[in-house]
Amino acid sequence: MPSRTRCQIDVDGKWALIASQEWWTEGSSISEVADAHPELESAEPTDGNALLHSGTGAVARVGSCANADLPKHVLYTAIQVYASEREDASAMKKLITAYTNEVERSSACR
């Protein structure tokens, strides 16, 4: 199981969105990371296997990022949207790209 930090947004007592930062062991594929997220069942990897998205979720590998407490681990970001009939793959790609870029600039990568 990866080391994970999550932010969960609930609307009317139901999950609406979950954003996470997850440290996975080196060698874990983006498909393995996506398999841990139910909203990514139909997603296909893009951008050289650094990003995977569907209409309801996305996973991306954070570029240059290291954590001294977790050697030999790679940081991934993930977003899952729980809104029936609101699928938008293009919006998910934009959202995961923006989120990943901000995580890469944050203290999580230093």
Side-chain angles (χ1 to χ4, degrees):
M1 183 58 117
S3 174
R4 179 181 293 158
T5 302
R6 292 172 54 155
C7 175
Q8 178 177 310
I9 298 170
D10 295 340
V11 175
D12 296 329
K14 296 180 182 176
W15 290 354
L17 182 136
I18 297 174
S20 61
Q21 298 170 28
E22 306 177 4
W23 289 96
W24 286 71
T25 56
E26 283 181 354
S28 297
S29 72
I30 196 160
S31 296
E32 288 175 88
V33 177
D35 286 346
H37 302 280
E39 298 304 306
L40 287 164
E41 291 175 356
S42 63
E44 292 294 326
T46 60
D47 297 341
N49 287 326
L51 187 137
L52 188 145
H53 69 287
S54 70
T56 55
V59 171
R61 182 177 175 150
V62 180
S64 54
C65 196
N67 183 327
D69 295 330
L70 295 167
K72 298 186 180 182
H73 281 71
V74 176
L75 184 61
Y76 286 88
T77 54
I79 295 177
Q80 298 174 86
V81 175
Y82 296 86
S84 60
E85 300 178 24
R86 301 274 188 232
E87 295 184 21
D88 188 336
S90 176
M92 290 307 307
K93 184 175 182 179
K94 288 178 186 176
L95 182 58
I96 195 67
T97 299
Y99 177 50
T100 303
N101 289 339
E102 290 303 314
V103 168
E104 190 170 15
R105 289 186 207 110
S106 77
S107 61
C109 285
R110 295 185 185 106

